[in-house]
Amino acid sequence: EVQLQASGGGLVQAGGSLRLSCAASGFRFDDYAIGWFRQAPGKEREGVSGISGKDGRTYYSDSVKGRFTISSDNAEKMVYLQMNGLKAEDTAVYYCAAVSSIFFDAPSSLLSSFAYSGQGTLVTVSS
């Protein structure tokens, strides 16, 4: 059974930083891309960032590029999202998601019907 457990959300002031963690289990890490999508109140889901479990290649949406950094520890099956320079518009519930590498080419791929996701963690950025 695929399980993805996100943690690390919280309340932070604009300009601050947070680090999200995702504990993954139940699938072969190397065969998947793992990452994050978010959903803000009243808005559609947005793919934020993904990382290839096979080669570590990273992908970012334009809205977070240069501010967020995704990384992974394949041995521990952990994925991290370091979020710096947070803005009020980054406020959302962040979800960890995974999709087979054959279906992944951008963070938006994490929103597909082929992707798995877990419960989210709330990030609130005060302005």
Side-chain angles (χ1 to χ4, degrees), residues 19-113:
R19 187 194 195 206
L20 304 184
S21 299
C22 174
S25 63
F27 60 94
R28 183 179 164 86
F29 209 77
D30 289 355
D31 293 338
Y32 280 72
I34 306 99
W36 303 84
F37 66 86
R38 66 187 180 186
Q39 187 161 29
K43 294 188 177 181
E44 293 188 355
R45 298 180 305 167
E46 177 192 11
V48 172
S49 181
I51 185 167
S52 167
K54 181 176 182 180
D55 59 18
R57 186 173 179 182
T58 58
Y59 302 77
Y60 299 94
S61 65
D62 288 342
S63 60
V64 307
K65 197 173 294 182
R67 299 186 298 122
F68 291 10
T69 302
I70 191 169
S71 61
S72 68
D73 182 335
N74 285 29
E76 297 296 325
K77 289 193 171 182
M78 294 290 296
V79 175
Y80 306 98
L81 187 68
Q82 178 66 42
M83 305 186 295
N84 298 330
L86 283 162
K87 306 174 182 179
E89 51 263 43
D90 293 318
T91 294
V93 178
Y94 284 71
Y95 298 86
C96 181
V99 67
S100 173
S101 296
I102 61 175
F103 298 125
F104 182 86
D105 61 4
S108 58
S109 303
L110 297 169
L111 307 177
S112 80
S113 58

